[in-house]
Amino acid sequence: MHQATDIFLKMFLDHFNVNPTLFDIFCTCTTVWLIKHLFNFINRLQKLPPGPWGLPIVGYLPFIKKDAYIQMTELGKKYGPVFSFKGGQFDVVVINDGKAIEEAFKNDHLLARPNTTFIPGQDHSIFEMSGETWRQQRRVALTILRNIGLGKSTLEEKIKEEIGLFIDSLKSAQGKLVDFSEVNGLSVANNISILMFGHRFEYNDPFGIELRHNMKQVSDNVDYFTKFIFTTSLSFLIPLAAHFSSDHEKVTSNQKDLEDKVTIEVAKHREKQTTHEIEDYIDGFLQEMDKQKDSNTSFNINTLRRNAADFYAAGSDTTTHVLNFMMLYLVTYPEHQQKIRDEIKQTIGFDRQPDYADRASMPFTMAFIYESLRMSTLVPLNVLRRATQDTKVMNYSIPKDTLVILNFWAVHRDPKLWNDPHSFKPERFLSEDETTVVKSPYLMPFSGGKRICPGATLALIELFLYLVSIVQNFQVSVPKRTKISDESKYLFLRTVKNPVKLNFHTLNEN
């Protein structure tokens, strides 16, 4: 056998005129390289939590199902609350346990993002930044948003004005079936438009409609396990990933259109920038650009475009979809709708708009909101994080540059934390005498720690004011024999798959 191999090898070398010494060196180097990488692979594998095996190069990516958050939950039951798999070039650690996620929130080594953007070819936005660049952008953004009213009564008044116009639009549709997701989306988007651009859009404004359309097309087509995140250094796989991502061109095109519209708003702000008064996020960012114009900084026009576009998308799309789920729960459980209305009657009445401060006297309404957030779990898997150095969570090792997924869906459906977790029960957030709302630390709709959603407070204000204003003015229902389904669809956000059209009957309360 060895003699035959030697003869074949000699014929091969003679045929291709290969120097035997060079060939021996090549074989030796290749063997050393393979042994080294095999050693590193085994060594790293021993450090990682247990998990499923995948294929060479692509790892477990081909086996990830459409509803990945459910699959991650099932894998956690098999491999443990913290498990790992290979995703393309990266090791991925998934954390399914509530206490482990709380620990991860506090771990400063788990604050970074992957080194690439979710849409290839784009500059990093604040949501995709890491390290000191992210900290600077976050600090400035929070300062600007607070200065222009985030968390203050001035912004709440503007939201109430917007809701007043929204309620009027629903009243004008009296007797007609309403596509709530559409009209609601335009209204909610106006609240973030005020923060970003300093003004709202009329519901029939072509610019505002197109702006929301571009944003919706991006969010509806970006997959959580986008192949571009997991194959960044495997350049030969990028064309393959693009080939199998049929919506790639649509996403890229709509993202560009969205940012082009933001650029138009930026140009308007530059034209009026004659004072130092800051009215919105663009004003504040432009002022910061002027302060840092002589330094090499991330405060530039490209970053402003990306940040404003992402803030607009995150601030409008998520709240819109949660309200869609809320309407679903209102018509599915009319007894809960009546309980909210009873609290309105006792606390606010039917003559004045609600204030966010009224929530303190409306425990069931707040419990309904919290249960809606838990049941909908709009963001079942967090925006990907990356370990900046070797670290641990609950004694599980997470090597440097591992991508980390926090599975909020698993926590929100954990039977050890929630009694009958698959049922809609607002009372789970009430005290025993049902006079006080009790928010569980394991309700994590906005993530947590230093990477918590910067618009969490705004979202809660909106959810309360929209919900109460709707129930205060209307009996929400669906036509008889309408099939109500809580079936969802999932790409990056978990949304209502088939929203039903709703009846909004004006109340005649004394």
Side-chain angles (χ1 to χ4, degrees):
M1 182 71 179
H2 288 295
Q3 186 177 7
T5 302
D6 290 342
I7 292 172
F8 173 79
L9 189 58
K10 185 176 185 305
M11 291 174 61
F12 175 82
L13 295 174
D14 289 343
H15 178 76
F16 289 100
N17 195 26
V18 177
N19 186 304
T21 303
L22 291 177
F23 185 75
D24 287 342
I25 294 172
F26 170 77
C27 289
T28 302
C29 291
T30 302
T31 303
V32 170
W33 181 84
L34 288 171
I35 292 172
K36 177 186 174 184
H37 279 266
L38 182 61
F39 175 79
N40 289 339
F41 172 76
I42 294 172
N43 185 48
R44 194 170 176 90
L45 200 62
Q46 289 177 334
K47 290 182 179 180
L48 286 163
W53 288 84
L55 299 174
I57 302 176
V58 293
Y60 197 70
L61 288 181
F63 304 106
I64 292 176
K65 298 177 182 177
K66 191 172 183 180
D67 290 333
Y69 60 97
I70 296 176
Q71 184 184 12
M72 297 297 116
T73 304
E74 293 304 311
L75 287 171
K77 294 176 182 177
K78 181 177 180 179
Y79 294 103
V82 180
F83 69 91
S84 68
F85 63 86
K86 193 76 174 178
Q89 74 181 93
F90 294 107
D91 294 316
V92 181
V93 166
V94 183
I95 304 177
N96 284 2
D97 177 77
K99 288 185 178 179
I101 289 179
E102 282 190 313
E103 186 177 317
F105 284 156
K106 300 172 185 176
N107 190 330
D108 284 353
H109 304 313
L110 297 178
L111 290 174
R113 297 290 191 213
N115 290 316
T116 58
T117 59
F118 279 89
I119 302 173
Q122 301 286 323
D123 293 311
H124 286 77
S125 74
I126 187 173
F127 295 100
E128 299 161 315
M129 290 175 178
S130 305
E132 185 56 32
T133 303
W134 165 69
R135 279 186 281 272
Q136 289 175 0
Q137 289 285 338
R138 177 175 174 269
R139 183 170 58 251
V140 169
L142 290 176
T143 299
I144 295 170
L145 293 175
R146 289 190 191 110
N147 288 343
I148 61 176
L150 186 61
K152 297 179 181 179
S153 59
T154 50
L155 179 61
E156 183 179 336
E157 287 304 314
K158 291 179 181 178
I159 294 172
K160 288 168 64 175
E161 288 176 18
E162 173 58 41
I163 291 176
L165 295 169
F166 172 66
I167 294 297
D168 288 344
S169 73
L170 291 180
K171 286 180 178 178
S172 68
Q174 187 74 206
K176 301 176 184 177
L177 286 175
V178 175
D179 183 349
F180 180 80
S181 61
E182 188 59 35
V183 293
N184 169 52
L186 290 168
S187 178
V188 172
N190 273 338
N191 297 321
I192 197 66
S193 293
I194 290 168
L195 282 173
M196 291 296 105
F197 314 134
H199 63 87
R200 67 182 296 277
F201 295 97
E202 296 296 331
Y203 297 150
N204 61 354
D205 187 310
F207 189 93
I209 292 172
E210 189 64 21
L211 187 69
R212 175 163 163 71
H213 171 76
N214 294 145
M215 178 272 296
K216 192 172 183 299
Q217 285 297 308
V218 174
S219 63
D220 285 352
N221 292 288
V222 174
D223 192 352
Y224 182 87
F225 283 96
T226 172
K227 307 304 181 288
F228 299 99
I229 290 291
F230 294 94
T231 58
T232 51
S233 69
L234 305 174
S235 56
F236 64 94
L237 288 180
I238 294 295
L240 187 65
H243 174 73
F244 286 107
S245 181
S246 58
D247 295 313
H248 166 62
E249 289 187 9
K250 184 189 295 185
V251 170
T252 305
S253 174
N254 278 284
Q255 179 69 24
K256 181 181 180 301
D257 289 342
L258 177 60
E259 292 183 20
D260 284 348
K261 288 180 176 59
V262 172
T263 302
I264 293 172
E265 290 287 342
V266 172
K268 292 177 181 177
H269 281 66
R270 281 186 145 176
E271 288 174 6
K272 74 177 181 66
Q273 199 177 24
T274 55
T275 68
H276 291 288
E277 185 177 354
I278 297 176
E279 297 179 353
D280 51 55
Y281 176 75
I282 292 178
D283 279 339
F285 196 100
L286 288 172
Q287 188 175 106
E288 191 66 27
M289 278 177 56
D290 287 341
K291 289 180 183 177
Q292 301 195 29
K293 62 184 177 182
D294 295 325
S295 58
N296 185 16
T297 174
S298 63
F299 289 91
N300 54 58
I301 287 294
N302 286 338
T303 301
L304 174 56
R305 284 161 47 100
R306 292 290 337 267
N307 283 1
D310 283 4
F311 273 128
Y312 175 84
S316 58
D317 212 25
T318 50
T319 302
T320 296
H321 286 303
V322 174
L323 284 168
N324 289 341
F325 273 107
M326 281 189 179
M327 293 303 107
L328 178 69
Y329 301 140
L330 283 181
V331 298
T332 304
Y333 308 101
E335 67 275 17
H336 295 334
Q337 184 175 167
Q338 187 57 48
K339 281 188 176 182
I340 295 171
R341 191 170 293 113
D342 289 343
E343 280 194 336
I344 292 171
K345 187 174 184 178
Q346 295 166 10
T347 304
I348 304 170
F350 298 90
D351 295 325
R352 73 165 174 89
Q353 277 190 296
D355 298 321
Y356 189 48
D358 292 324
R359 72 191 186 281
S361 305
M362 302 180 68
F364 183 83
T365 301
M366 289 305 300
F368 181 90
I369 291 172
Y370 288 152
E371 181 68 344
S372 297
L373 289 168
R374 186 192 71 84
M375 281 292 287
S376 61
T377 311
L378 208 70
V379 183
L381 304 176
N382 69 303
V383 182
L384 285 166
R385 299 193 182 196
R386 175 175 56 86
T388 51
Q389 68 178 54
D390 291 356
T391 189
K392 286 188 175 184
V393 170
M394 301 286 280
N395 291 321
Y396 289 95
S397 293
I398 302 178
K400 181 182 178 181
D401 288 328
T402 297
L403 299 186
V404 178
I405 293 174
L406 310 177
N407 189 350
F408 303 128
W409 175 265
V411 177
H412 288 173
R413 291 298 191 280
D414 188 344
K416 297 192 297 294
L417 300 175
W418 316 95
N419 176 38
D420 193 10
H422 298 286
S423 296
F424 188 86
K425 294 182 176 182
E427 58 271 18
R428 72 174 80 248
F429 289 100
L430 292 174
S431 60
E432 286 189 18
D433 60 4
E434 297 191 350
T435 60
T436 308
V437 66
V438 181
K439 183 178 178 293
S440 168
Y442 298 113
L443 179 65
M444 304 171 172
F446 306 109
S447 190
K450 294 177 181 177
R451 278 284 189 180
I452 192 171
C453 171
T457 300
L458 173 63
L460 286 172
I461 293 171
E462 289 178 304
L463 293 176
F464 179 81
L465 294 180
Y466 273 91
L467 172 66
V468 174
S469 296
I470 289 169
V471 178
Q472 183 186 44
N473 285 277
F474 305 102
Q475 178 70 40
V476 187
S477 63
V478 293
K480 291 181 179 179
R481 293 182 294 277
T482 298
K483 183 179 179 182
I484 304 172
S485 171
D486 63 353
E487 189 178 358
S488 65
K489 61 179 180 179
Y490 173 70
L491 284 170
F492 200 92
L493 299 178
R494 182 177 178 271
T495 61
V496 178
K497 186 174 183 179
N498 298 304
V500 294
K501 291 190 176 182
L502 302 173
N503 283 318
F504 289 87
H505 296 291
T506 302
L507 293 174
N508 294 312
E509 296 282 352
N510 294 322

